Amino acid sequence: VANAYAERRIGTVRRECLDRMLILGPTKLRRVLEIYLEHYNTRRPHRALGQAAPLRPAPTIRAPAGTTIRGKPVLSGLIYQYRAA
């Protein structure tokens, strides 16, 4: 059973991150994986968790109408993280 979870996680990292980047060298790979896994565990919504991230509860406060939303590119624009300005 644990093998199935590991295969799913590796597949997700490959599809969402590694298949979209050209990585030259182990140092760059390590840095890209650190950034992506931080995003995956603290910001990326997961359907099974009610749109919460594994290490952070689902947000309960919504930005009021008319609030400006800002996006911050992560991993050279591969991922965008949004927040109320």
Side-chain angles (χ1 to χ4, degrees), residues 13-72:
V13 171
R14 285 191 60 202
R15 281 187 305 277
E16 293 184 5
C17 183
L18 300 178
D19 286 350
R20 300 170 185 234
M21 301 184 82
L22 178 62
I23 298 173
L24 302 173
T27 305
K28 179 70 172 177
L29 174 63
R30 195 171 298 115
R31 183 68 182 136
V32 165
L33 288 175
E34 286 173 1
I35 293 169
Y36 177 77
L37 291 176
E38 186 272 330
H39 167 76
Y40 184 89
N41 287 317
T42 60
R43 296 227 179 223
R44 182 182 177 273
H46 295 257
R47 207 172 359 174
L49 300 176
Q51 300 304 320
L55 300 180
R56 198 167 84 175
T60 56
I61 301 172
R62 296 185 185 257
T67 302
T68 304
I69 303 296
R70 305 246 177 194
K72 174 183 151 190

